[in-house]
Amino acid sequence: MGVAPEPLRWLKAVEAALATSGRRADFIRNASRTAGALTASINDDGVTCATWDDLVAATGCSRRRVAEHVAWLRAAGWLHRQAQTPPRQTGYRLSRPDTPSKRS
């Protein structure tokens, strides 16, 4: 896999993509919070280590809404799932839609 995007730059790019996504303002705001919580939880290996409960607490959204945000980020190519992650951790790597990623 190529070099992982720098988290702040990644977050700004996600926010720009959300702004032009045609989604409702509350979805955009809360998905941006979810993305911010994911970037804040990146470990030394570049993998998000927040639990779903952490994301719910950080966004103030229900687990179902947070799952919708993560699903949007994954479908749009902003996240990809790691093959091996500890239980309860989200275990995503940041990616860019224009950068192909190799799945582990």
Side-chain angles (χ1 to χ4, degrees):
M1 182 173 71
V3 176
E6 187 266 319
L8 184 55
R9 191 175 328 161
W10 177 87
L11 182 57
K12 294 296 180 189
V14 167
E15 289 172 344
L18 280 163
T20 60
S21 68
R23 302 299 299 245
R24 292 180 22 186
D26 62 332
F27 180 90
I28 292 169
R29 181 181 56 253
N30 292 321
S32 177
R33 288 179 184 157
T34 300
L38 287 166
T39 61
S41 75
I42 295 173
N43 65 19
D44 291 340
D45 295 325
V47 177
T48 62
C49 58
T51 65
W52 289 100
D53 292 338
D54 294 338
L55 295 178
V56 166
T59 62
C61 295
S62 68
R63 187 177 170 121
R64 183 175 141 244
R65 291 284 183 232
V66 169
E68 289 174 1
H69 305 150
V70 170
W72 184 89
L73 291 164
R74 289 184 69 190
W78 292 103
L79 292 174
H80 70 270
R81 187 87 164 111
Q82 286 300 108
Q84 300 288 326
T85 57
R88 297 181 35 94
Q89 289 185 0
T90 51
Y92 292 103
R93 280 201 185 271
L94 308 183
S95 59
R96 296 186 68 91
D98 57 348
T99 305
S101 63
K102 191 168 58 175
R103 296 195 186 255
S104 303

